Amino acid sequence: MNRSKRLSVLLCVLVIFCALTLGVSKYEERKEKIKNSDEIILELNSEDVTELSWEYGAEAFAFHKDENWLYDEDEHFPVNEEKVDQLLENFQSFGVSFIIEDAEDLSQYGLGDPLCTIHIGLEEETYEILLGNYSEMDEERYVSIGDGNVYLVKDDPLDSFDIELSDMIQHDEIPEFDSVTEIQFAGSENYKAVYKEDNKVTYSKEDVYFVKEGSGELPLDTGNIENYVETIHELNLTNYVTYDVTDEELKSYGMDDPELTVTLRYRGQDEESGEEKEETVVLHISRDPDEKEKAESEAAKSSDDDESQEDTETDSKEEVTAYLRVGESKIIYQISGLDYEDLMEASYNDLRHQEVIWADFEDISGVKISLEEVEYELTVKEEGKEKIWYYQDDEIETDDFRNALNSLSASGFTEEEPADKEEISLTLQIDNENQPEAEIELYRYDGNKCLAVVDGEPISLVDRSHVVDLIEAVNAIVLN
């Protein structure tokens, strides 16, 4: 190789070496600008914020404060101020774990076209926060706040802003019912149930809700009342159909004349004083008027065909569109067909005792039985803390008898007088001053049902199979 060629080769090597040296130098220089950090890059007090907006994908929302938070596009929108505070809490003490100073290429961190852009306005300054890619290695998100740096943040705010407008609404709340003192129904049902302790009406200490009937009172099943109240408490009021209903629009939801209005009075606790106070919540429930009219029309057409009517009722349950309004709220919610059906089951017959006799068996001190025109008597003797049952002088087991007695429950209520043979009758002696005795007469009604008469009043139909079980339990005792 001649001298000139060797010099050319050496010159190329030198150029390459210099380029590599410069690259390494630049890399080292750049490497020094990437460092770990526990810096707090933003400290915002939510009370000082006057504007909040963000763009995430196709969604964009903007809110501003004028004493209260308002939605820019519709100031009638009821903004959930706690939700706004929750969003701003992300930046109350916004800490990072990694800083890339003077970042040149934001796109490599997903910040050239960010996933989410958040704008926060204060009285004298504003912030633009960009949320970029998620670092799988560090399990943190790249963020820019417009100061030329890129950060990896400890707490990822992205999920907080992945929401819809419905997540920002101040929904009506169903309160905690510490103690319901009164339930009033108006519309499809019209009566009032009142809470009374130490009742003087029935033989059960568990009866605390009563309905006035003439000059007297009728007990309701406490369990049924509690289940009804629980249905109200568990309502999921998030599926709103309008948040600013007008008087003209009320009719389209059946709310100009609700099917059923439920008013609950309850004892709550004052948040400030901690003292107990009485509160009221009112619910209006209606089925979609057009759908209701159609269902009623179809039911009327098929009223002569029991099977067809049953099919129609089943179909209508599956297709129920129903609405609910809390008091005079501007929000109308759509509720599920199941919730609608549960709320509409509010009649006296729905909430009364379904059992023919609901006395605690432990409070029964004796039974007189008439079966096939023969009289029998079961007695109880207390031996220590135990109650022992006897028929004549023989100790007896009463499990089957007790279970059969407890199984006598209504398949339907009726005031129809008995017209067929008496199957069995029982007179129960009860350890209770209010009602020391209860008489149950069970009459044949048809092949599947018997008619229950309690204290001389026709009450309900019961499955004949349960009456047969009771007769067999009695025969097992007296014929053993």
Side-chain angles (χ1 to χ4, degrees):
M1 182 182 295
N2 57 37
R3 179 181 176 85
S4 62
K5 288 184 178 180
R6 285 200 299 271
L7 287 173
S8 297
V9 171
L10 289 172
L11 182 59
C12 289
V13 171
L14 180 61
V15 170
I16 293 171
F17 177 77
C18 289
L20 289 172
T21 302
L22 180 61
V24 169
S25 173
K26 290 291 184 182
Y27 173 78
E28 291 295 331
E29 180 183 352
R30 185 167 183 79
K31 183 179 178 182
E32 290 175 357
K33 293 186 179 181
I34 303 174
K35 59 183 180 181
N36 293 326
S37 172
D38 57 0
E39 184 179 344
I40 302 297
I41 60 171
L42 274 180
E43 288 184 285
L44 298 179
N45 186 338
S46 61
E47 294 182 0
D48 298 331
V49 178
T50 58
E51 296 178 355
L52 173 65
S53 62
W54 67 94
E55 300 92 42
Y56 187 172
E59 301 288 353
F61 304 113
F63 300 85
H64 66 278
K65 183 187 282 187
D66 182 9
E67 292 187 5
N68 298 315
W69 280 100
L70 301 170
Y71 179 43
D72 286 9
E73 291 190 16
D74 184 358
E75 293 192 351
H76 291 102
F77 181 86
V79 178
N80 185 337
E81 304 216 355
E82 288 186 7
K83 184 64 177 179
V84 176
D85 288 341
Q86 288 173 12
L87 294 174
L88 292 174
E89 277 178 10
N90 287 284
F91 312 108
Q92 187 173 359
S93 182
F94 198 38
V96 303
S97 60
F98 206 69
I99 299 177
I100 304 170
E101 295 180 344
D102 300 322
E104 295 179 0
D105 183 10
L106 295 181
S107 62
Q108 65 179 311
Y109 308 109
L111 295 167
D113 182 18
L115 294 172
C116 181
T117 302
I118 303 163
H119 305 272
I120 299 176
L122 285 75
E123 288 290 344
E124 298 181 355
E125 55 187 330
T126 59
Y127 295 92
E128 183 178 72
I129 302 163
L130 309 181
L131 306 183
N133 292 340
Y134 186 77
S135 171
E136 297 292 346
M137 181 177 68
D138 301 288
E139 296 185 340
E140 294 181 355
R141 189 167 301 281
Y142 290 108
V143 169
S144 166
I145 61 171
D147 59 0
N149 299 329
V150 171
Y151 302 94
L152 278 172
V153 295
K154 295 177 180 178
D155 298 313
D156 185 2
L158 186 66
D159 288 343
S160 300
F161 289 87
D162 184 12
I163 56 178
E164 299 176 355
L165 182 61
S166 59
D167 296 311
M168 297 299 297
I169 194 171
Q170 179 62 59
H171 289 294
D172 297 302
E173 294 184 1
I174 302 295
E176 294 286 346
F177 306 119
D178 293 342
S179 178
V180 175
T181 58
E182 181 181 294
I183 307 177
Q184 185 159 359
F185 300 101
S188 59
E189 303 296 335
N190 287 280
Y191 70 96
K192 181 166 61 176
V194 178
Y195 179 89
K196 290 178 63 176
E197 292 182 345
D198 301 324
N199 80 80
K200 305 298 182 185
V201 178
T202 77
Y203 47 69
S204 175
K205 296 175 291 186
E206 304 299 321
D207 291 339
V208 292
Y209 289 97
F210 297 88
V211 175
K212 280 197 172 183
E213 176 71 17
S215 59
E217 292 177 318
L218 300 174
L220 296 173
D221 186 320
T222 301
N224 288 342
I225 291 287
E226 289 175 346
N227 288 339
Y228 191 87
V229 170
E230 185 67 15
T231 296
I232 293 175
H233 184 258
E234 294 298 321
L235 287 171
N236 183 23
L237 299 186
T238 57
N239 186 20
Y240 69 89
V241 291
T242 179
Y243 56 76
D244 191 27
V245 69
T246 64
D247 291 342
E248 293 76 17
E249 290 172 333
L250 287 173
K251 187 174 182 179
S252 63
Y253 302 109
M255 289 298 168
D256 57 326
D257 184 20
E259 277 188 78
L260 181 66
T261 294
V262 184
T263 302
L264 274 80
R265 297 187 186 277
Y266 63 97
R267 295 192 187 98
Q269 196 172 57
D270 189 283
E271 293 183 1
E272 295 182 2
S273 66
E275 295 180 357
E276 193 177 76
K277 63 177 182 177
E278 189 167 83
E279 301 276 6
T280 301
V281 63
V282 180
L283 305 179
H284 306 288
I285 304 112
S286 277
R287 188 173 180 182
D288 178 88
D290 294 336
E291 186 178 284
K292 180 173 181 284
E293 184 179 357
K294 181 181 177 182
E296 288 175 347
S297 176
E298 290 177 353
K301 289 178 182 177
S302 59
S303 60
D304 295 333
D305 185 340
D306 292 340
E307 183 178 350
S308 175
Q309 184 177 11
E310 183 178 341
D311 291 342
T312 301
E313 289 174 354
T314 301
D315 291 342
S316 66
K317 286 182 180 180
E318 293 174 354
E319 299 171 359
V320 164
T321 304
Y323 304 106
L324 183 143
R325 184 187 188 196
V326 180
E328 298 301 309
S329 170
K330 291 286 190 179
I331 307 176
I332 303 294
Y333 298 94
Q334 184 172 338
I335 59 175
S336 70
L338 182 60
D339 282 339
Y340 169 79
E341 297 291 344
D342 288 344
L343 290 170
M344 294 302 291
E345 290 179 353
S347 70
Y348 167 64
N349 283 344
D350 289 322
L351 299 178
R352 69 190 286 187
H353 286 280
Q354 306 299 300
E355 308 94 334
V356 172
I357 183 78
W358 59 91
D360 190 326
F361 195 79
E362 298 302 318
D363 293 335
I364 297 176
S365 57
V367 182
K368 293 179 181 178
I369 303 168
S370 177
L371 177 60
E372 299 291 342
E373 298 183 352
V374 180
E375 307 294 325
Y376 306 98
E377 185 171 4
L378 310 183
T379 58
V380 176
K381 293 181 181 178
E382 292 193 16
E383 299 182 8
K385 293 183 178 180
E386 259 191 287
K387 286 186 173 183
I388 308 299
W389 281 81
Y390 289 88
Y391 170 60
Q392 296 177 345
D393 295 325
D394 297 324
E395 183 178 335
I396 58 173
E397 292 291 336
T398 57
D399 288 351
D400 289 344
F401 176 71
R402 177 189 347 214
N403 292 337
L405 194 62
N406 291 339
S407 295
L408 297 176
S409 59
S411 61
F413 293 97
T414 182
E415 296 180 359
E416 185 177 349
E417 293 290 340
D420 210 328
K421 173 189 173 184
E422 179 184 282
E423 299 272 22
I424 185 173
S425 67
L426 307 94
T427 302
L428 310 180
Q429 281 82 49
I430 303 171
D431 293 331
N432 187 280
E433 294 180 358
N434 299 332
Q435 192 174 349
E437 190 172 274
E439 184 179 7
I440 304 169
E441 300 164 282
L442 297 165
Y443 293 87
R444 184 174 299 173
Y445 185 79
D446 59 28
N448 298 315
K449 304 290 181 185
C450 286
L451 175 63
V453 176
V454 179
D455 295 331
E457 296 290 334
I459 297 296
S460 63
L461 299 178
V462 298
D463 288 344
R464 190 166 187 275
S465 61
H466 296 317
V467 177
V468 171
D469 289 342
L470 179 63
I471 292 172
E472 289 179 350
V474 171
N475 281 328
I477 291 171
V478 300
L479 299 178
N480 187 6

